[in-house]
Amino acid sequence: MNSKSPTSRRRFLKSAFVAGAGLTIVPRHVLGGNGFVPPSDQLTKAIIGVGGMGRGHIPYEGTRVVAICDVDRLHLEKAKSMINNEVKTFHDFRDVVQLPEVDIVHIATPPHWHGLMSVEAAKAGKDIWCEKPMTRTIGEGKKVMEAVNAHGRMFRLNTWFRFKDNFYGLGTDVKPLKKVIDSGILGWPLKFTVSGITGYNWKFYWSGEHNLKPMPVPENLDYDMWLGPAPYKPYNPERVHSKFRGYWDYDGGGLGDMGQHYLDPVQYMLGKDDTAPVKIEVDAPQQHYDAVGSWRRIEYTYADGCQIILDGENRDKDAAYIEGPNGKIFRGFRSDIPNLQEFLKTLPDPEPQVSLFSESVKTRKKFALNETNGFWSSTLVNLGIIAVRLGRTLNFDPEKLQFIDDEGANRMINQPMRAPWTI
């Protein structure tokens, strides 16, 4: 064996310590201090897309960054300065997913890349941590779910309110709400209202501009690669980086940005992690073909009568967050059910969930928000976006993943990709 190999060096040092009179072998974790995890015991990750959101992926628990990728040279330089000089930098994500030293691929790009990159990472044998929304279309989400399962990968979507943290402006976390719903005390079916009244801002400032003028592409940006599978449109800074959410080719405005954050916990509380609504009704102005606009109201109805109301105008000033035949729960966990807090103390906790992705990767147990339930909450978002864009009521078959008697809506399930990209 090469005398300079790490194994030989460790043996040499161990022998030297044992031979030294009065010396004690000190475990490495003690030398490193409390909480020290040697690099050899850490999971490794690569981050694709290191703009503002992507740089936030650097410190996540139990991992160290070994590679970063971006089509903007300035993003790469800034991210590298935050990590170390040893981190590898890449321009093309296809090179990153093939790195043998990478355990997990973090995808922090605009949503029009999420599906394609997730599938390629799964094929390459990588576990995946993907930003929300999971995918920009229903068809891409289905292919991600299939690829992750076919290749035995672990997948987490980067929204977490179903298992931790105060749920935006609602004034509580999700756990006590789930306990109350599962008890049946509110009755059935239930109606959720998601609005500014109940604690949720739909961020309509994510609207695009019309008639963008072509402008020169900055020398630090590979705009063709940034577009990737999206239709070609002349460069304008309004389209890229922090502004992309305002254009249908890449995202879906405030609904695309916040929808999965807001709606995934509702899906979980309702026990709808394996299905979708059968009717989507919309009240919205006519939408521009390119630039995202606002909407007034979206109503989702499930086969059993449960509803989710997205009130963009805050019309219902007295809206309960949850309303059932037997009672209501308002923002701040106020309720018209007497002694609800005392009743809550008698209820069992929900089923435990794996809430650390490093645990999921090591144990091969599915993460709390994974490729399957994440697909269905992403589908909630995409159903709403399709209804807004078309401006009409849609009837949906969750088993067939098709709209009923609406070919125009069905064409939006699987949208074409710009050559040579396919999924």
Side-chain angles (χ1 to χ4, degrees):
M1 180 178 292
N2 187 330
S3 62
K4 294 183 179 180
S5 72
T7 303
S8 293
R9 186 173 182 274
R10 283 196 295 269
R11 288 175 180 167
F12 170 78
L13 291 172
K14 182 177 180 181
S15 299
F17 275 123
V18 171
L23 292 179
T24 303
I25 299 174
V26 181
R28 190 175 181 187
H29 71 272
V30 174
L31 292 171
N34 291 333
F36 176 77
V37 180
S40 59
D41 294 337
Q42 291 178 336
L43 295 168
T44 59
K45 67 186 178 189
I47 304 174
I48 304 174
V50 286
M53 184 66 72
R55 292 193 292 273
H57 283 247
I58 293 171
Y60 284 155
E61 43 79 24
T63 60
R64 63 186 173 93
V65 182
V66 296
I68 55 177
C69 178
D70 203 290
V71 296
D72 189 321
R73 176 176 49 79
L74 298 181
H75 285 181
L76 278 177
E77 291 173 356
K78 185 168 185 176
K80 186 172 184 178
S81 72
M82 296 171 62
I83 307 169
N84 58 57
N85 289 327
E86 284 71 44
V87 68
K88 295 181 178 179
T89 60
F90 293 86
H91 180 83
D92 192 324
F93 80 94
R94 291 168 293 189
D95 297 325
V96 174
V97 299
Q98 298 299 330
L99 291 173
E101 66 266 35
V102 170
D103 297 317
I104 305 165
V105 170
H106 285 233
I107 300 170
T109 64
H112 69 287
W113 273 112
H114 290 180
L116 197 154
M117 289 180 175
S118 293
V119 168
E120 292 303 310
K123 288 179 180 177
K126 308 303 181 187
D127 295 323
I128 302 155
W129 184 318
C130 185
E131 267 300 335
K132 49 75 191 169
M134 179 172 160
T135 54
R136 197 186 68 87
T137 70
I138 295 170
E140 289 174 14
K142 181 172 182 287
K143 289 180 179 179
V144 169
M145 181 169 56
E146 291 169 346
V148 168
N149 286 315
H151 296 278
R153 308 326 304 161
M154 294 294 104
F155 182 96
R156 90 151 276 182
L157 194 62
N158 199 33
T159 181
W160 51 89
F161 296 101
R162 67 164 58 205
F163 57 85
K164 72 172 184 178
D165 282 357
N166 201 51
F167 193 21
Y168 287 97
L170 183 63
T172 179
D173 61 15
V174 164
K175 184 177 177 179
L177 298 171
K178 176 68 170 168
K179 291 170 68 170
V180 169
I181 290 170
D182 287 350
S183 76
I185 194 172
L186 296 175
W188 203 263
L190 299 178
K191 180 176 78 172
F192 280 73
T193 298
V194 185
S195 70
I197 303 300
T198 57
Y200 303 90
N201 171 16
W202 279 110
K203 295 187 178 181
F204 288 128
Y205 55 75
W206 287 127
S207 295
E209 295 188 12
H210 301 184
N211 304 314
L212 293 177
K213 295 180 179 180
M215 297 181 68
V217 179
E219 58 84 22
N220 54 283
L221 175 67
D222 183 343
Y223 179 59
D224 186 68
M225 189 67 172
W226 187 92
L227 285 172
Y232 178 79
K233 303 281 175 61
Y235 173 80
N236 185 290
E238 288 295 319
R239 291 193 172 278
V240 301
H241 296 344
S242 62
K243 303 291 187 70
F244 65 83
R245 297 194 190 279
Y247 300 89
W248 298 118
D249 288 344
Y250 325 120
D251 201 354
L255 183 54
D257 180 27
M258 302 307 296
Q260 203 154 12
H261 275 321
Y262 294 171
L263 300 182
D264 177 77
V266 177
Q267 174 181 287
Y268 164 66
M269 287 185 275
L270 284 172
K272 305 293 189 185
D273 273 342
D274 58 357
T275 190
V278 296
K279 178 183 283 189
I280 306 92
E281 299 169 270
V282 64
D283 177 10
Q286 183 173 349
Q287 298 294 303
H288 189 264
Y289 75 94
D290 181 35
V292 177
S294 64
W295 42 267
R296 292 180 284 269
R297 191 176 182 88
I298 303 171
E299 297 187 7
Y300 300 94
T301 304
Y302 288 89
D304 63 358
C306 286
Q307 288 191 310
I308 305 173
I309 311 299
L310 313 187
D311 182 359
E313 290 188 324
N314 302 327
R315 292 180 193 170
D316 187 351
K317 303 302 181 184
D318 299 316
Y321 179 61
I322 309 171
E323 180 177 346
N326 302 331
K328 300 176 182 181
I329 296 177
F330 297 85
R331 185 176 183 173
F333 215 86
R334 291 188 301 106
S335 179
D336 59 358
I337 297 176
N339 303 314
L340 181 62
Q341 292 291 346
E342 292 302 313
F343 176 67
L344 182 63
K345 296 175 183 178
T346 70
L347 300 176
D349 286 340
E351 288 293 317
Q353 306 174 78
V354 177
S355 58
L356 289 177
F357 193 52
S358 55
E359 178 185 347
S360 180
V361 171
K362 291 174 180 177
T363 64
R364 312 314 288 173
K365 294 180 180 178
K366 282 187 181 293
F367 187 72
L369 182 53
N370 53 62
E371 73 284 353
T372 301
N373 51 22
F375 163 71
W376 288 107
S377 55
S378 178
T379 294
L380 267 177
V381 175
N382 284 315
L383 287 171
I385 287 172
I386 292 171
V388 168
R389 294 186 71 179
L390 295 177
R392 58 177 177 261
T393 296
L394 303 175
N395 296 297
F396 189 67
D397 185 331
E399 292 188 9
K400 294 181 179 179
L401 290 178
Q402 291 182 347
F403 294 98
I404 299 170
D405 298 327
D406 195 326
E407 189 53 40
N410 281 328
R411 283 197 294 270
M412 300 184 77
I413 293 174
N414 294 290
Q415 297 176 33
M417 290 185 169
R418 187 170 66 108
W421 301 101
T422 60
I423 184 172

